[in-house]
Each structure stands twice: as structure tokens, then as C-alpha cells.
Amino acid sequence: MTLSIDAQVATMPMAKALNAGLRQAMAENDKVLLMGEDIGKLGGVFRITEGLQAEFGEGRVLDTPLAESGIIGTAIGLAMRGYRPVCEIQFDGFIYPGFNQITSQLAKLTNRNEGSMQMPVVIRVPYGGHIGAIEHHQESPEAYFAHTAGLRSVSPSTPNDAYWMIQEAIASNDPVMFFEPKSRYWPKGEVDLSGSAASLHASRVVRTGTDATVVAHGAMVSVLLAAAELAAAEGISLEVVDLRSISPIDYTPILESVRKTGRLVVAQEAPGNVSVGSEIAATVAERAFYSLEAPVLRVSGFDVPFPPAKLEALYLPDADRILEAVDRALAY
């Protein structure tokens, strides 16, 4: 990590940015607790919590049993007592044993109590592919939770967003599903430590263009930017929108972009059936129909279980698949 003292801009990978964001939140509020499997002495499988137990103590950084339902159930109880627990689910595919606690209890308790009980719980979920792992370690389950009323769901794509968004999520009085694209843990980027947080649920144009709009969240944003570079070499101008939040979705930048370009391609690692991309495609078709020059096209993982590591490159959308969809849109 490199740091410019004058500007307070540091260059670090997303993993370090998340660590710094968690440290800042814990320093500012002693009600913030971290919970998860191997997050204490080990610092987590991806070292996101490295050094935090040594700094804040075992009472605030808790190594839990291998029991996702128990982790989340305990976090719910802590939230009832005024704490702000941050739970780590070690890998995306491990979240399902805790699914009932999240969807039946965590998401509903505030409504069940007519707003008198807040649930400031953050559930960190490393998700997605590109790491060559085995079954249950490369899934993209975000649609399950985006569909669930009572939960907020977000996913940063850059170290700067990771640093600020984890703090915003912890400050929220609602439960937040915080999806971390683990393939982006290691690439470095600038983090403005002295800046201010953008709205947790604001989508953002990260590259301007005129010919077509491409939209994604998490790790797929970097794929879209790579595709936009390749397209530019062929004289095609793509506008790239980073969702940042997948529930709620900030449609204003997307609709403004589509009304300008007339074409939209939505990309995601997750399977396409009944997905975040499906919802965006339907909403844009409803709200910007007369601006569209072509059907909204989706590029996604295939509707099959995530394959063995040696086949992941065939399963996950890449720049070529994005550009093929752009070509189809431009052909109308």
C-alpha cells in the first residue's frame, strides 16, 4: 500500500481497503463487532480482517463455530441489544445454511415490530468466480437476497467503493447484504481516505459513451471496461454504468444513459434466469421503451450449476461475449 500524505490518497487492493474500512468503523463505534469463521487470529481466508482481533480484542472480533445459521442468529440477537454485528460468510456457497435466518428473521423483524426494532446487521459475502476454486466457492447468489424485501444488497467494484461502502453499510440501521467480488480483492486502485462517501445505493457512470450502454455490478464492471477499450479501437463508443447497489437499484443514471444511446446490454456472472439482469431489462423496457433502438440484451453465466474450475472460463462472461451482444444490439 502506498499513501500520499498531503492528499490522503492511498493505493491498495480491495482486500486492504475493506480491512481499512472495517478498522475505521470499529474505531468510531465500539458497538461494531465482527463475527465469522477463522476471522480472528487467521484474519479470514482472504485476510480481510487481518490484524483486527489483535487491535480490538477477542471480544469484538469473534472466531465462530462452522455454523452459518448460528452466526446470523447470534448477530440478530446482538442487534436487538444495540450492537452492530458484521458477519463474514467464508464463501458464497456457504450462505445457504443461514438462508432461513436471513430471509425469515433478519429481513422481517423490523417490519414485524412495526419499525420499533432496528436490525443494523451487515453480512459480508465473498462471491463470484475467476479464482479457480471448487464447488460452493464461486457462486453468485445475490438474486435470492435482492428479491427479499427488508434487505439491502450492494456490491463494490473498486477499492475506493469498498472502503466507503462497508462503512456506509455498517452505519445503516437496516440489514445489508454486502457482496464482495473476490476476484477483485487483489487488483490495486486509489482510495481517497479523506473524501466522503457516495450514497450507498447510487449507481454511477464510470465511462461515458454514445453508441450503447453496458451495465453490471461487482467484478463484471472490470470486464465491461475492458470490453469498452476493445470496442473503442473499432470505433464503437460504450457507456459503462456500475450499479454498486442491486437492491434497491438506482435507475436514474441507467435510464439517462439509455435515452442517450438507445441500446442496453446488462451483464452478470450469475445465471440469467430470474436474475438482477432480468429485473433491469424489464424495468428499462417499461420506463424507456420509446428510447430503445434495439431489445435489451443480457449476458450472464449459464443456467447450470457452476462448473469445475477448468471450465469456468467457458461459463463466465468475458469481453468477447459482451462485444458480441453489443454487435447484435447495434445491428438493429
Side-chain angles (χ1 to χ4, degrees):
M1 180 179 73
T2 59
L3 175 65
S4 169
I5 296 176
D6 292 335
Q8 288 293 296
V9 174
T11 300
M12 65 179 80
M14 183 182 287
K16 291 294 184 184
L18 287 164
N19 181 277
L22 290 168
R23 177 178 287 105
Q24 184 68 22
M26 295 183 75
E28 291 179 353
N29 187 344
D30 61 9
K31 294 294 187 181
V32 176
L33 309 176
L34 309 186
M35 307 168 58
E37 300 161 6
D38 300 318
I39 71 164
K41 292 180 181 179
L42 181 65
V45 171
F46 298 103
R47 305 299 188 266
I48 305 302
T49 54
E50 189 172 35
L52 296 181
Q53 188 180 77
E55 183 172 347
F56 295 99
E58 295 183 4
R60 294 188 64 195
V61 182
L62 290 76
D63 278 316
T64 67
L66 306 184
E68 287 75 16
S69 181
I71 293 169
I72 295 171
T74 302
I76 291 170
L78 286 165
M80 289 177 174
R81 299 299 296 173
Y83 290 92
R84 291 182 174 271
V86 181
C87 306
E88 178 182 294
I89 302 300
Q90 196 170 75
F91 282 93
D92 37 54
F94 298 176
I95 200 166
Y96 302 113
F99 189 85
N100 182 55
Q101 290 279 22
I102 297 170
T103 58
S104 297
Q105 305 301 332
L106 182 62
K108 294 180 170 60
L109 273 166
T110 297
N111 184 69
R112 189 181 300 155
N113 289 276
E114 298 181 331
S116 65
M117 180 180 292
Q118 296 175 336
M119 282 286 114
V121 177
V122 176
I123 301 178
R124 295 181 39 247
V125 187
Y127 81 114
H130 295 291
I131 67 165
I134 59 175
E135 187 180 23
H136 303 311
H137 292 70
Q138 300 204 94
E139 299 178 18
S140 296
E142 62 268 30
Y144 292 111
F145 304 100
H147 175 77
T148 302
L151 299 175
R152 300 176 183 269
S153 298
V154 300
S155 181
S157 67
T158 67
N160 191 68
D161 268 352
Y163 174 77
W164 289 107
M165 288 173 71
I166 190 63
Q167 295 179 68
E168 287 287 290
I170 293 169
S172 173
N173 288 325
D174 297 322
V176 179
M177 304 297 298
F178 197 90
F179 290 97
E180 301 169 6
K182 51 186 179 283
S183 66
R184 304 304 299 169
Y185 274 154
W186 303 283
K188 293 182 178 180
E190 289 189 347
V191 177
D192 185 357
L193 301 171
S194 61
S196 58
S199 170
L200 182 62
H201 299 294
S203 58
R204 182 169 58 215
V205 175
V206 294
R207 180 185 175 114
T208 59
T210 57
D211 295 328
T213 302
V214 289
V215 174
H217 62 276
M220 280 303 303
V221 176
S222 63
V223 178
L224 295 189
L225 290 169
E229 284 290 332
L230 295 171
E234 299 179 359
I236 300 170
S237 175
L238 299 183
E239 183 146 295
V240 181
V241 180
D242 181 356
L243 287 176
R244 299 178 73 251
S245 174
I246 51 183
S247 182
I249 293 173
D250 174 17
Y251 280 101
T252 299
I254 301 170
L255 294 169
E256 288 176 351
S257 180
V258 168
R259 290 178 180 126
K260 177 176 68 172
T261 67
R263 293 170 172 83
L264 175 62
V265 175
V266 187
Q268 61 187 31
E269 289 190 18
N273 188 43
V274 194
S275 65
V276 175
S278 304
E279 182 65 21
I280 294 170
T283 300
V284 170
E286 288 176 353
R287 296 171 63 179
F289 180 80
Y290 290 106
S291 297
L292 289 168
E293 301 291 340
V296 178
L297 299 177
R298 292 177 291 151
V299 182
S300 69
F302 299 111
D303 295 326
V304 298
F306 201 97
K310 65 182 179 180
L311 298 176
E312 73 171 9
L314 299 175
Y315 174 88
L316 293 167
D318 58 10
D320 286 340
R321 285 177 62 189
I322 302 298
L323 293 175
E324 188 274 334
V326 169
D327 287 342
R328 286 164 52 206
L330 293 173
Y332 278 90

